Amino acid sequence: MMSMNLLPSSSLTLNKHAHPNLVSRTHISHHANLKVFNFNKIKNHQPTSQIHKVSNFLENPFEFNNFGARPTSQIVKSASESPQDLTPDGETKKNPNKTLQLAIVFGFWYFQNIVFNIYNKKALNIFPYPWLLASFQLFVGSVWMLVLWATKLQPCPKIDKSFIIALLGPALFHTIGHISACVSFSKVAVSFTHVIKSAEPVFSVVFSSALGDTYPLSVWLSILPIVMGCSLAAVTEVSFNLGGLWGAMISNVGFVLRNIYSKKSLQNFKQVNGLNLYGWITILSFFYLFPVAVFVEGSQWVSGYHKAIASIGTPSTFYLWVMISGVFYHLYNQSSYQALDDISPLTFSVGNTMKRVVVIVSTVIVFRNPVRPLNALGSAIAIFGTFLYSQASSKKKAAVEKKD
């Protein structure tokens, strides 16, 4: 019955001169079996474990995935496509309009990330208080999500106490990752922070292996150029600062622990999709961070504000920079969720690697940071290692999902 319901009404036509009995049962059976084959292929392609969905969703910088079940309309649409419409990595071939739409989403994702990094650094250059700025960015994201839920633009998830408890750990580690990155941005060039943050796969492999996970040799080999590239970039960085280096490294640790902890604590909440999950993590992270921010640097905010206004001349310009950094911090995360909603994690990881390159180059041009040849070489090696890791780890995930 399911296979027949998946048949579109136009899949069988009768010639007006043909007798109904001339329509062979074999013809009908062929179409029905094709639909069953396609439905099962799509069904088998989907990860059978919510653990893998959470893992794909919580990659840095916040690589979103469709955490909840796919809408029924999407399943039926996928089931109606023929086997030759499926690419090796499980995506359907995009028609020109779909390809253009996806290109626009990627373009917005890259553009929004570049804007965030530029204005975040501009604000930090004249107001070097990353704890307050990071808190404000989480506050903007929290308000944004509350507005989406209140206006029904985004369905509000039904949650309970157990869901909030399960989120406490991931939200804490997300907070650590976010504030550490902001501290790094305040002390060194944006390009240097992103190069060091490209080493996150190294921490992921090491921590996961320590907890019992196993990785093929290709994954271990892929992290070697990341380590070598980051080391070379750090040694030759003109704006090197130990605090900036440690901030980026701690950020990597925070996001990796967030990913690992989420696999264990969030696997039973498949009814919450990726964007809603990110919204609740943002809200909890704000409540984690702001009280600590007041304690760490709150006494310096007033004097720092007056210095910032004096250095820039017009308060509205400072307000604009801070507001842009907060809005675009949320927007680029939301765009990444929308991008991964239509593509495979493998394609997304490649796009995320290229995004990091675009951000590094853009910020170097905007801020005119001096880059030594060896520094550029180290950065390129580290980014290339990240690309190799995305390929190797995606093959590992595919093997695990196929086994399950």
Side-chain angles (χ1 to χ4, degrees):
M1 293 298 293
M2 181 180 293
S3 61
M4 295 305 295
N5 290 336
L6 289 174
L7 281 170
S9 60
S10 61
S11 61
L12 179 62
T13 58
L14 297 176
N15 188 290
K16 66 180 181 179
H17 299 295
H19 192 277
N21 291 334
L22 294 179
V23 181
S24 67
R25 296 182 179 180
T26 303
H27 179 70
I28 298 177
S29 176
H30 169 73
H31 280 276
N33 290 335
L34 180 60
K35 298 303 173 182
V36 173
F37 168 79
N38 288 331
F39 182 82
N40 290 334
K41 183 168 184 178
I42 298 299
K43 179 181 179 182
N44 292 334
H45 174 72
Q46 298 300 321
T48 58
S49 172
Q50 290 299 326
I51 297 178
H52 301 307
K53 291 185 178 182
V54 177
S55 176
N56 290 335
F57 164 72
L58 290 165
E59 293 293 334
N60 179 64
F62 235 127
E63 301 175 1
F64 295 102
N65 195 6
N66 194 2
F67 180 78
R70 296 179 64 188
T72 304
S73 60
Q74 293 184 15
I75 297 177
V76 174
K77 180 180 178 181
S78 299
S80 66
E81 293 169 347
S82 60
Q84 59 267 28
D85 290 334
L86 296 173
T87 59
D89 59 358
E91 298 178 54
T92 56
K93 290 182 179 179
K94 304 292 190 300
N95 56 45
N97 291 336
K98 191 66 174 179
T99 301
L100 177 60
Q101 179 182 354
L102 190 59
I104 293 175
V105 171
F106 263 79
F108 272 116
W109 178 30
Y110 283 27
F111 170 75
Q112 290 160 355
N113 204 299
I114 292 171
V115 171
F116 161 71
N117 279 277
I118 290 175
Y119 283 92
N120 184 59
K121 183 61 176 178
K122 279 178 173 289
L124 287 171
N125 281 342
I126 64 173
F127 187 76
Y129 299 100
W131 290 80
L132 177 59
L133 194 59
S135 298
F136 179 76
Q137 290 160 1
L138 294 174
F139 173 75
V140 171
S142 300
V143 173
W144 186 284
M145 291 305 303
L146 291 174
V147 170
L148 291 182
W149 292 330
T151 57
K152 308 298 183 181
L153 294 176
Q154 173 70 17
C156 184
K158 295 181 180 180
I159 62 172
D160 53 21
K161 182 179 179 181
S162 61
F163 175 72
I164 298 298
I165 293 176
L167 271 185
L168 292 178
L172 175 62
F173 290 123
H174 175 71
T175 305
I176 294 173
H178 178 50
I179 181 56
S180 299
C182 284
V183 170
S184 180
F185 285 136
S186 69
K187 296 182 178 298
V188 294
V190 175
S191 56
F192 179 66
T193 298
H194 276 282
V195 170
I196 301 303
K197 283 179 66 63
S198 68
E200 183 180 326
V202 178
F203 294 88
S204 180
V205 172
V206 172
F207 279 100
S208 297
S209 298
L211 294 175
D213 200 358
T214 58
Y215 289 88
L217 180 61
S218 59
V219 172
W220 285 101
L221 291 177
S222 69
I223 68 176
L224 293 179
I226 300 177
V227 175
M228 293 186 295
C230 288
S231 300
L232 181 59
V235 171
T236 58
E237 173 61 33
V238 176
S239 65
F240 179 82
N241 177 280
L242 189 60
L245 174 63
W246 275 109
M249 298 282 277
I250 295 174
S251 177
N252 287 337
V253 173
F255 285 126
V256 166
L257 291 179
R258 178 200 64 190
N259 301 344
I260 294 175
Y261 197 93
S262 298
K263 294 179 183 179
K264 298 181 179 180
S265 63
L266 295 175
Q267 57 180 312
N268 297 323
F269 300 97
K270 59 184 179 181
Q271 74 278 9
V272 183
N273 65 25
L275 185 56
N276 286 333
L277 180 63
Y278 167 62
W280 279 108
I281 287 179
T282 300
I283 293 172
L284 290 178
S285 295
F286 170 73
F287 285 108
Y288 272 134
L289 183 59
F290 185 67
V292 182
V294 174
F295 175 78
V296 172
E297 59 182 25
S299 61
Q300 309 172 57
W301 290 344
V302 175
S303 60
Y305 167 78
H306 291 298
K307 290 180 180 178
I309 298 303
S311 64
I312 200 173
T314 53
S316 59
T317 301
F318 174 67
Y319 300 152
L320 180 63
W321 291 357
V322 172
M323 182 60 69
I324 289 177
S325 73
V327 171
F328 279 83
Y329 172 74
H330 179 86
L331 286 180
Y332 91 76
N333 284 308
Q334 181 172 306
S335 293
S336 65
Y337 161 73
Q338 293 172 333
L340 191 53
D341 196 35
D342 288 331
I343 62 177
S344 71
L346 174 59
T347 302
F348 182 88
S349 64
V350 175
N352 189 60
T353 302
M354 296 307 299
K355 178 212 70 178
R356 199 176 295 279
V357 175
V358 172
V359 170
I360 290 174
V361 173
S362 300
T363 54
V364 167
I365 293 175
V366 170
F367 295 105
R368 300 180 181 179
N369 300 322
V371 180
R372 298 170 180 171
L374 285 179
N375 182 267
L377 177 62
S379 301
I381 293 175
I383 296 298
F384 180 66
T386 304
F387 171 78
L388 294 179
Y389 170 82
S390 68
Q391 303 294 304
S393 61
S394 294
K395 291 180 180 179
K396 175 182 178 294
K397 288 180 181 179
V400 171
E401 292 167 3
K402 183 178 180 180
K403 182 179 179 181
D404 291 339

